[in-house]
Amino acid sequence: MKSIMQVKFLDLKKVNEPYFPDLMAATQKFLEKGWYILGDEVTAFEKDYAAFCGTHYCAGVSNGLDALRLIFEAYKLLNKLKEGDEVIVPANTYIASILSVTQSRLVPVLVEPHPDTYNIDPQRVEVAITAKTKAILAVHLYGQLADMDALNQIAVKHELLVIEDAAQSHGASNKNGKVAGNLSNAAGHSFYPGKNLGALGDAGAVTTNDVELYETICALRNYGSHKKYYNLYEGYNMRLDEIQAAWLRIRLLGLEAETTRRREIAQMYSSGLVLPELKLPVEANYGKHVYHIYPVLHPHRNELQKYLESKGIQTMIHYPLPPHKQQAFSQWNHLAFPITENIHLHELSLPMSPVHTDEEINYVIEAINNFK
């Protein structure tokens, strides 16, 4: 009898293992230095990550949700947004994107994605614009850019801000080579451990080319203060930890090679999967995917997931319930977004990480192709 291979969806210990010696050395240096909050490591990471994204400025913050929150709150202080303004958001995003809007006392307007890219549909965005619309929040879902050229053209036409949620898209680029985080007025990034660029805990950043916005965010993340005990604003405690910054600098060095491996695995899936009715992800012609997730759709998603589990293959669903069906947003529960609902009902995320082997991926492909 053929033995069952065990294929994890994501093995974070294995992903981080090649970096252990450097992570340990950085930890030792951090402990010996004795400086724990907003020190040299945060400054150095901000410089490194701004260079990676191609932006003038990067502010390290506590997590991806706080990154977006700080952008919205800073724009309110700069009189570019006010409470009650509408922000267009994808209907099929992770709930954190929408929480950043509602927690900033702004009004999210849900817009359906394009059925091929799963990212917000620019044509539907333009239809949704009202006199109260002041911003578009573009989420680069699963590692693929939203259509930023189209969204930016709409924004210029209607005098709107554009903000990127780049939590899942570290290093994704457009056809001109510009990278996620440098395709809008400002971008929020998450370095949650499972992300392509993952910390060893919660961490995030804001990137922008707007010095006034950057300086406002730097104060807001630190109790509204640039100088200790002197507070310009009613700020927050949303700082990036010094130790996480030290670790992120090390992980950033390996990101390009990891992204190359993710793309190799995606190509294996895309060329090898032939199961009828299985919808594979479409890579848009306007950019390069970084495959944070490899999402497939199947009409019998739940049965397929159980079958793969029986074969030792771990999968995940991103996401089982769309935001407008969540109890937290009960005021939206009556709304219908058929494209979004179809994605959430049928999406299954296959094993994807830079440490998966060809043998593991071929085993997954063979198992899926034999699903009845």
Side-chain angles (χ1 to χ4, degrees), residues 274-321:
V274 294
L275 179 70
E277 299 185 284
L278 190 73
K279 185 177 188 294
L280 305 182
V282 175
E283 184 156 350
N285 60 11
Y286 55 73
K288 289 191 72 176
H289 209 308
V290 294
Y291 293 99
H292 171 58
I293 299 295
Y294 190 92
V296 298
L297 305 188
H298 194 273
H300 302 290
R301 185 267 311 278
N302 293 343
E303 291 84 351
L304 176 58
Q305 185 176 42
K306 288 176 185 175
Y307 161 79
L308 291 174
E309 186 180 357
S310 76
K311 298 290 185 182
I313 298 166
Q314 188 180 48
T315 59
M316 289 190 69
I317 296 169
H318 291 91
Y319 302 94
L321 200 63

Side-chain angles (χ1 to χ4, degrees), residues 119-195:
N119 282 320
I120 196 165
D121 187 335
Q123 290 186 340
R124 294 172 187 270
V125 167
E126 190 143 34
V127 172
I129 292 170
T130 72
K132 292 184 177 179
T133 307
K134 300 300 176 188
I136 300 168
L137 178 58
V139 181
H140 306 315
L141 200 63
Y142 303 142
Q144 173 148 252
L145 293 179
D147 188 349
M148 296 306 295
D149 285 349
L151 292 173
N152 282 317
Q153 286 172 13
I154 292 167
V156 169
K157 179 179 174 182
H158 296 276
E159 298 183 336
L160 307 177
L161 296 167
V162 181
I163 295 121
E164 295 167 79
D165 181 342
Q168 299 186 10
S169 61
H170 311 137
S173 58
N174 69 10
K175 59 189 175 185
N176 297 318
K178 287 187 74 173
V179 172
N182 190 25
L183 300 167
S184 63
N185 297 100
H189 306 255
S190 169
F191 306 122
Y192 180 78
K195 296 294 195 291

